[in-house]
Amino acid sequence: MDAIRADELIGLFQSWRDMFAAERDFLIALDGKVGDSDLGITMSKSFAAAYDTVAAEGAAAGLTKLLRSAGAIMAKTAPSTMGTLTATGFLRGAKALEGKDAIGTAEAAAFWRAYATGIAERGKAKLGDKTILDVLDPVAGVLEAQAASGAALAPALKAAADEAEAALERTKAMKAQHGKAAVFQEQTVGLQDAGATVGVFLVKAMSGYVAG
Amino acid sequence: MDAIRADELIGLFQSWRDMFAAERDFLIALDGKVGDSDLGITMSKSFAAAYDTVAAEGAAAGLTKLLRSAGAIMAKTAPSTMGTLTATGFLRGAKALEGKDAIGTAEAAAFWRAYATGIAERGKAKLGDKTILDVLDPVAGVLEAQAASGAALAPALKAAADEAEAALERTKAMKAQHGKAAVFQEQTVGLQDAGATVGVFLVKAMSGYVAG
Amino acid sequence: MKKFLNDPANFVDEMLEGIYRAHPQVTYVNDDKRCLVVAKPKAGKVGIATGGGSGHLPLFLGYVGDNMLDGCAVGGVFQSPSADQMHEVTKYIDQGAGVLYIYGNYTGDIINFDMAAELADIDGITVKQVVGNDDIASSVVGEEHKRRGVAGIFFVYKAAGAAAANGLSLDEVTRLADKARANVRTIGVALSSCVVPEIGHATFSVGEDEMEIGMGIHGEPGISRKKLAPADAVVDEMMERVFAELPAGAGDEFAVLVNGLGGTPKEELYILFRRVSQLFEAKGSKVKYVWIGEFATAMEMAGASISVLKLDAELDPLIAVSVNTPFFAHYKA
Amino acid sequence: MKKFLNDPANFVDEMLEGIYRAHPQVTYVNDDKRCLVVAKPKAGKVGIATGGGSGHLPLFLGYVGDNMLDGCAVGGVFQSPSADQMHEVTKYIDQGAGVLYIYGNYTGDIINFDMAAELADIDGITVKQVVGNDDIASSVVGEEHKRRGVAGIFFVYKAAGAAAANGLSLDEVTRLADKARANVRTIGVALSSCVVPEIGHATFSVGEDEMEIGMGIHGEPGISRKKLAPADAVVDEMMERVFAELPAGAGDEFAVLVNGLGGTPKEELYILFRRVSQLFEAKGSKVKYVWIGEFATAMEMAGASISVLKLDAELDPLIAVSVNTPFFAHYKA
Ligand SMILES: Nc1ncnc2c1ncn2[C@@H]1O[C@H](COP(=O)(O)OP(=O)(O)O)[C@@H](O)[C@H]1O
Ligand SMILES: Nc1ncnc2c1ncn2[C@@H]1O[C@H](COP(=O)(O)OP(=O)(O)O)[C@@H](O)[C@H]1O
Ligand SMILES: [Mg+2]
Ligand SMILES: [Mg+2]
Ligand SMILES: [Mg+2]
Ligand SMILES: [Mg+2]
């Protein structure tokens, strides 16, 4: 697949839904270490709702409308920190792609940049604060570089997914500054951040979907 | 010992206290089967208070005054069913011995008869209802027979204690009609009654104390 | 045992000290903290006393206050108070109009209240008694006198308290209290045991996936132990027994109490009430008054009970009367 | 998991249905049960909204009622409600005088209330925010903005509710709410975990003989886990931290809230209060108002918290105002 159009976007949401359903218990356990164990529940719920919504609206609604609808329903369905932040990400991503009907490498870069910036604004987190931002910011950076070098979508996303995994690994060394994990301070060092893990899952599933 | 005078009565209360302290956990467990597990606590508490009271008053107070004081403090200390019934027993027993300063066989018979009657009136239980009455009524009967035949206190109490054990055995076949055990109905058949067990302990400790 | 306490032997008296420090509306007589009374008895009013074991807060003492009770003899955990203590409370709350005892049907309490009534009689105080026996799981129809008293006594207190506050005579207060008693039914369900401080461990157990319908508030056995069912099914089974004794027809009106036994969150009590309300609705009956929360507990026992009072023209206005006690406030809207 | 529920996914909505069936004083807007509001808003009054996760009853929605709050956005168990729901509540309770949000300092709630305030601003509704951060165990002095909000928010609600009922402006209501917020400190101690219905098992554990001082109401870690000590020693340790931040001198006056986290019997809360009262007494300070019971819970968690509000001439009369909500009634004597 060389670009994601409205039709494929619906399929991508199905992949995300299935992946978060499968990772539900893993994310519950991960969030349970220095959080409140809800992450698996909120992510599986909100992506299930998002898929249902985009599937019901259908490809005719168009790429950006589907992204907006997904963001809106996610904000209603799972208003946890990660739920609201991912929802904000989709809404901002939709805005960034206004007028586009396909996501190629450049659009993917724009999408994830807007996504990361939206999260940073809403959550008031900085890089290095051990959040999802520490994965999505480098992901956007890699995609921007890939776009600049004219890479096709599949290899660009593969590079982004690899960078996401590396970035997640780097969150282990950080100390949580936000949310429920923040009170654990030093104890969070050595652990991968739960929200950053969600970031990796999002990018990897997208990469896998595009690779077919 | 051929009779229990005020001095010995204090010693008898000490024996009762020690015995109920030793049997505390056993009675808790026994009452736990078809009751509320408080019997070991209430009995050990009330006899500890009774001993402290009679020891503080001293033998000079006289036999019946000591019995009355014991009954009164027991009623205050442990107002559970068995606590109030045994307290009533001591108060009625004291009344029956009015004017006496020693308990020989005849007085022991009068004491336990009054004790049993007091319990029957206060608790409105009949013979065969699986209560302490099913031990104390035959105990009084044996003592009355022993007194009639001129037996000394020690062998009379030994006979009473033997009868108490036999009577307790007979409570196993009965169905509880009163108190917390009553709701267990058929399930109480086969179990010895907890209150009747207290009756056996009272008489056996008295017999043991008199035997030396 | 995981409890906030110092010496278990002082559990009740330290709790009472906390209560007196928190609530100056109540005090005690005879230099005995376990003889709890209202600080300002109302002259000329029929006095209402209750009593029973500790471990059931807000039962029993929590209902001493404006338009409810005047005194309470407080026992050890799950143990009756003494006749002596009841007698002291009786003497203080008698304002010349006599005293009504309202308490639950347990041998220990009966024996002691009977003795206290005898002692009060010697003092020339007229005492009447109403003995709560609302627990339908504890004996069959026709043998109601053997039934235990549980959370439904709340309605008896409320009716009697209002009647006394209205200035009615001891005979009338007794009649109305007894009418409330006769019109209330309770059924409980337990999910776990509880720990008596001086014993220190659970006195019985309920299996990890089991419930016991009809278990008493001291852990007395119920009528069936089975696998925990969905909330709606549990309520259906419980209410079927209630409706068998208190038929609910079109236009009938009721007061309902959904009571937590101690360890059950309020969220769950509301899930139970949702179904109770649906069942009354299906019968065309009205739940005119409802209270949901902890009214008669068994320490930290997980579980709940449902009490239902059938209203009539006499009971309805009594249940509606505002009440203010340290543990329970009811503002008439 | 031993709970009264049907499908865990319906836990919150069925609970809410029970609440609406029981308490006609509250209703909901936007056809969404999770947007709870007073049935009869007072014209011209500053509206006060709160919101937060479920599982904490009577927090948060239980304080919607006369002289307290006007609306509450209700989240899933331990989850924030959505910005959308907060916005709907805001629109309904705004009576032209603006709306104050009072909620606890949790990232999810902040993010959503911020978004809701933006949406309300677009509608031309003025919104102010006061974010409760009373839990002294959750961050050190100097970093108070990082502290969690727990049971002490009760006093913020009470002060703000009274100020709004007195007809004060949004700025004044906000100022007084913020003053209450700045003057309240809470410290908690947990003895056990709790079970989120959709998770189905305890999310953390506390050893059989352990306690954790400072644990949050979602199980967030506290400041020390150690062997359960006698009640007096536990209170001494907790109150030492409170007194370090809210000095109590001769003649100073306080309001105190002893709050059960869900599974702890009231008896034990009174044993805790006994000691709290002794400590104030020893300092010559007065506990002028006290509430003891369940005010902010964590499902069936065993444990308690102590909240202390330092009174002054402005806060005192606000705390004294009578209140009547479905979950909390306070009758001024
Ligand atoms: N202020 C913030 N900005 C960005 N990300 C945040 C912020 N606070 C928390 N996070 C992310 O959210 C994750 C936790 O998400 P979630 O479980 O939904 O939180 P909660 O249960 O506390 O609402 C963290 O691992 C972190 O990556
Ligand atoms: N009405 C009664 N009359 C005589 N004895 C009774 C009566 N009810 C109960 N008992 C006796 O009391 C015993 C239980 O005593 P106790 O544990 O003190 O009761 P509770 O804990 O119910 O107050 C029973 O085993 C029985 O022997
Ligand atoms: Mg979480
Ligand atoms: Mg017993
Ligand atoms: Mg409780
Ligand atoms: Mg509770």
Side-chain angles (χ1 to χ4, degrees):
Chain A
M1 188 180 310
D2 64 345
I4 301 170
R5 290 179 187 73
D7 250 335
E8 290 91 12
L9 183 69
I10 296 171
L12 173 56
F13 270 102
Q14 189 169 20
S15 292
W16 275 330
R17 179 199 67 182
D18 294 345
M19 178 270 296
F20 280 115
E23 302 292 353
R24 185 177 180 278
D25 292 345
F26 171 75
L27 285 174
I28 287 175
L30 185 63
D31 190 30
K33 287 187 188 167
V34 286
D36 61 355
S37 306
D38 68 341
L39 193 57
I41 296 166
T42 53
M43 288 296 105
S44 58
K45 257 195 202 166
S46 63
F47 278 89
Y51 169 68
D52 288 347
T53 300
V54 298
E57 288 197 357
L63 184 79
T64 56
K65 175 67 173 57
L66 289 179
L67 286 169
R68 251 200 327 275
S69 298
I73 190 71
M74 292 171 89
K76 287 198 192 201
T77 309
S80 64
T81 302
M82 196 46 51
T84 306
L85 292 178
T86 48
T88 302
F90 279 104
L91 293 172
R92 299 293 183 94
K95 209 164 187 180
L97 298 187
E98 210 60 69
K100 310 278 182 187
D101 55 12
I103 302 178
T105 306
E107 290 76 19
F111 175 82
W112 285 110
R113 175 58 66 207
Y115 201 109
T117 306
I119 285 183
E121 284 177 14
R122 176 67 58 216
K124 302 179 190 86
K126 301 185 308 294
L127 284 177
D129 283 356
K130 195 169 185 134
T131 70
I132 184 172
L133 203 60
D134 293 309
V135 161
L136 295 188
D137 178 79
V139 160
V142 165
L143 287 171
E144 283 158 355
Q146 295 280 324
S149 70
L153 183 61
L157 283 173
K158 175 76 177 69
D162 290 345
E163 171 58 21
E165 299 235 43
L168 174 60
E169 196 56 34
R170 294 194 296 269
T171 66
K172 289 191 183 169
M174 301 172 185
K175 219 165 75 180
Q177 304 293 338
H178 295 277
K180 301 196 165 86
V183 296
F184 285 87
Q185 301 280 355
E186 300 301 336
Q187 292 172 57
T188 63
V189 176
L191 294 177
Q192 72 191 57
D193 177 57
T197 308
V198 166
V200 172
F201 285 165
L202 283 172
V203 177
K204 272 181 68 179
M206 187 173 186
S207 166
Y209 178 72
V210 167
Chain B
M1 189 182 308
D2 65 344
I4 301 169
R5 288 177 191 75
D7 251 335
E8 290 90 13
L9 183 69
I10 295 170
L12 173 55
F13 270 102
Q14 190 167 19
S15 293
W16 276 329
R17 181 200 65 182
D18 295 344
M19 178 270 296
F20 280 115
E23 302 291 353
R24 185 178 179 277
D25 292 344
F26 170 76
L27 285 174
I28 286 175
L30 185 62
D31 190 28
K33 290 188 187 165
V34 286
D36 60 354
S37 306
D38 68 339
L39 193 56
I41 296 166
T42 54
M43 289 296 104
S44 58
K45 257 195 203 166
S46 63
F47 278 89
Y51 169 69
D52 288 347
T53 300
V54 299
E57 287 198 359
L63 184 79
T64 57
K65 175 67 174 60
L66 291 179
L67 286 170
R68 249 198 329 274
S69 298
I73 191 70
M74 291 170 89
K76 286 197 193 201
T77 310
S80 64
T81 302
M82 196 47 49
T84 306
L85 292 178
T86 49
T88 303
F90 279 103
L91 293 172
R92 298 296 182 92
K95 208 165 189 183
L97 298 187
E98 210 61 68
K100 309 280 182 188
D101 55 12
I103 302 177
T105 306
E107 289 76 19
F111 175 83
W112 285 111
R113 175 57 66 203
Y115 201 109
T117 306
I119 285 183
E121 285 176 14
R122 178 64 61 215
K124 303 181 189 87
K126 300 183 309 296
L127 284 176
D129 282 356
K130 193 166 187 142
T131 72
I132 185 174
L133 202 61
D134 293 309
V135 160
L136 296 187
D137 179 80
V139 159
V142 164
L143 287 170
E144 282 159 353
Q146 295 280 322
S149 69
L153 183 61
L157 282 172
K158 175 74 177 70
D162 291 345
E163 171 58 20
E165 299 237 42
L168 174 59
E169 197 55 36
R170 292 194 298 269
T171 66
K172 289 191 183 169
M174 301 173 184
K175 220 165 74 181
Q177 303 293 337
H178 296 278
K180 303 198 163 85
V183 294
F184 286 86
Q185 300 281 355
E186 300 300 336
Q187 293 173 55
T188 65
V189 176
L191 296 175
Q192 72 190 59
D193 178 57
T197 308
V198 166
V200 171
F201 284 164
L202 284 172
V203 177
K204 273 181 67 178
M206 186 175 188
S207 167
Y209 177 72
V210 166
Chain C
M1 174 172 53
K2 300 199 76 172
K3 286 183 185 293
F4 296 116
L5 45 70
N6 297 297
D7 184 343
N10 299 333
F11 185 81
V12 171
D13 293 305
E14 291 186 355
M15 164 199 90
L16 287 167
E17 189 186 334
I19 286 172
Y20 294 118
R21 284 174 172 269
H23 307 298
Q25 308 97 296
V26 293
T27 183
Y28 54 95
V29 291
N30 199 35
D31 214 21
D32 179 355
K33 287 198 182 65
R34 299 190 180 201
C35 299
L36 183 145
V37 294
V38 284
K40 296 183 193 143
K42 302 267 178 315
K45 191 182 81 72
V46 166
I48 306 180
T50 190
S54 289
H56 304 300
L57 281 182
L59 210 61
F60 295 88
L61 62 87
Y63 301 108
V64 174
D66 295 348
N67 293 352
M68 274 189 113
L69 311 178
D70 303 287
C72 177
V74 180
V77 174
F78 295 178
Q79 291 169 32
S80 175
S82 70
D84 201 58
Q85 290 164 325
M86 296 164 180
H87 181 217
E88 292 297 336
V89 166
T90 307
K91 286 191 289 186
Y92 177 83
I93 69 171
D94 176 52
Q95 300 289 312
V99 170
L100 173 61
Y101 291 165
I102 305 175
Y103 58 94
N105 191 20
Y106 298 95
T107 309
D109 297 305
I110 294 171
I111 289 174
N112 283 292
F113 272 107
D114 277 351
M115 211 191 256
E118 275 177 42
L119 296 170
D121 188 58
I122 295 170
D123 301 331
I125 302 172
T126 311
V127 169
K128 300 265 178 181
Q129 305 196 32
V130 170
V131 183
N133 61 337
D134 51 313
D135 184 355
I136 60 180
S138 53
S139 198
V140 295
V141 173
E143 300 268 292
E144 283 89 352
H145 63 283
K146 289 190 179 170
R147 288 181 174 174
R148 298 183 291 258
V150 287
I153 201 168
F154 166 84
F155 289 123
V156 185
Y157 290 158
K158 205 156 188 318
N166 288 346
L168 300 187
S169 69
L170 179 59
D171 281 344
E172 270 299 280
V173 174
T174 305
R175 183 182 68 78
L176 290 163
D178 198 58
K179 189 180 200 183
R181 179 202 62 74
N183 278 286
V184 64
R185 295 291 184 285
T186 298
I187 177 116
V189 54
L191 302 187
S192 79
S193 179
C194 59
V195 178
V196 174
E198 289 194 75
I199 297 177
H201 57 82
T203 43
F204 56 94
S205 72
V206 186
E208 190 40 58
D209 60 347
E210 284 180 335
M211 63 175 176
E212 181 154 329
I213 291 189
M215 182 181 280
I217 55 175
H218 312 95
E220 299 94 334
I223 39 185
S224 73
R225 183 173 289 209
K226 51 174 104 165
K227 210 166 159 305
L228 177 56
D232 287 355
V234 175
V235 170
D236 288 352
E237 177 169 352
M238 293 165 81
M239 289 302 293
E240 190 182 321
R241 292 175 185 270
V242 172
F243 287 134
E245 299 196 23
L246 280 187
D252 289 341
E253 296 187 328
F254 296 85
V256 168
L257 180 77
V258 179
N259 171 57
L261 295 180
T264 288
K266 280 201 180 61
E267 285 80 2
E268 298 175 36
L269 301 180
Y270 277 91
I271 288 176
L272 296 177
F273 176 68
R274 166 184 167 276
R275 185 63 174 179
V276 171
S277 166
Q278 287 174 348
L279 296 178
F280 276 103
E281 195 173 76
K283 290 175 176 289
S285 302
K286 179 172 175 191
V287 177
K288 187 159 178 190
Y289 305 96
V290 58
W291 285 276
I292 301 171
E294 291 182 359
F295 292 84
T297 62
M299 308 291 291
E300 64 277 89
M301 188 187 287
S305 66
I306 302 168
S307 300
V308 176
L309 173 72
K310 187 152 192 169
L311 296 169
D312 68 9
E314 271 191 325
L315 293 174
D316 186 329
L318 296 174
I319 298 302
V321 167
S322 293
V323 152
N324 195 22
T325 81
F327 287 75
F328 174 60
H330 165 218
Y331 246 0
K332 202 167 151 178
Chain D
M1 174 172 54
K2 300 199 75 171
K3 287 184 184 291
F4 295 117
L5 45 70
N6 297 298
D7 183 344
N10 299 332
F11 185 81
V12 172
D13 293 305
E14 291 186 355
M15 166 200 90
L16 286 168
E17 188 186 335
I19 286 172
Y20 294 117
R21 284 174 172 269
H23 306 299
Q25 309 97 295
V26 292
T27 183
Y28 54 95
V29 290
N30 198 36
D31 213 21
D32 180 353
K33 288 197 181 64
R34 299 188 181 203
C35 300
L36 183 144
V37 294
V38 284
K40 295 183 194 140
K42 303 267 177 314
K45 191 182 82 71
V46 166
I48 306 179
T50 190
S54 290
H56 304 300
L57 280 183
L59 211 60
F60 294 86
L61 63 88
Y63 301 109
V64 173
D66 296 348
N67 294 352
M68 274 186 113
L69 312 178
D70 303 288
C72 177
V74 180
V77 174
F78 295 178
Q79 291 170 32
S80 174
S82 71
D84 200 58
Q85 290 164 326
M86 296 164 180
H87 180 218
E88 292 297 335
V89 166
T90 306
K91 286 191 288 186
Y92 177 84
I93 69 171
D94 176 52
Q95 300 288 312
V99 171
L100 172 62
Y101 292 165
I102 306 175
Y103 58 94
N105 191 20
Y106 297 95
T107 307
D109 298 306
I110 294 171
I111 288 175
N112 283 292
F113 271 107
D114 277 351
M115 211 191 256
E118 275 179 41
L119 297 172
D121 188 57
I122 296 169
D123 301 330
I125 302 172
T126 312
V127 169
K128 301 265 177 179
Q129 305 197 32
V130 170
V131 182
N133 60 339
D134 51 311
D135 184 356
I136 60 181
S138 52
S139 198
V140 295
V141 173
E143 299 268 291
E144 285 88 352
H145 64 282
K146 289 192 179 169
R147 288 180 173 176
R148 299 184 290 258
V150 285
I153 201 169
F154 167 83
F155 289 122
V156 186
Y157 290 158
K158 206 159 186 317
N166 289 346
L168 300 187
S169 69
L170 178 59
D171 281 343
E172 269 300 277
V173 174
T174 304
R175 183 183 68 79
L176 291 163
D178 198 59
K179 188 179 200 184
R181 180 201 60 75
N183 277 285
V184 64
R185 295 291 183 285
T186 298
I187 175 114
V189 53
L191 302 187
S192 79
S193 179
C194 58
V195 178
V196 174
E198 289 194 75
I199 297 176
H201 57 81
T203 43
F204 55 95
S205 72
V206 187
E208 188 41 56
D209 60 347
E210 284 181 334
M211 63 176 176
E212 182 154 327
I213 291 189
M215 181 181 281
I217 56 174
H218 313 96
E220 299 94 335
I223 40 187
S224 73
R225 183 174 287 211
K226 48 175 106 164
K227 211 168 158 303
L228 177 57
D232 287 357
V234 174
V235 171
D236 289 353
E237 177 169 352
M238 293 165 80
M239 289 302 294
E240 192 182 320
R241 292 175 186 271
V242 173
F243 288 134
E245 300 196 24
L246 281 186
D252 289 342
E253 296 187 328
F254 296 86
V256 169
L257 180 76
V258 179
N259 172 55
L261 295 181
T264 287
K266 281 202 179 62
E267 285 79 2
E268 298 174 38
L269 301 181
Y270 277 90
I271 288 175
L272 297 176
F273 176 69
R274 166 185 167 275
R275 185 61 174 181
V276 171
S277 166
Q278 288 173 350
L279 296 178
F280 277 103
E281 196 173 75
K283 290 175 178 289
S285 302
K286 181 173 172 188
V287 177
K288 188 160 178 189
Y289 304 97
V290 58
W291 285 276
I292 300 170
E294 291 180 0
F295 293 84
T297 63
M299 308 290 292
E300 63 278 90
M301 188 188 285
S305 67
I306 302 169
S307 300
V308 176
L309 172 73
K310 188 152 193 169
L311 296 169
D312 68 8
E314 270 190 327
L315 292 174
D316 186 327
L318 296 174
I319 299 300
V321 167
S322 292
V323 151
N324 194 22
T325 82
F327 286 76
F328 174 60
H330 166 218
Y331 246 180
K332 201 168 150 182

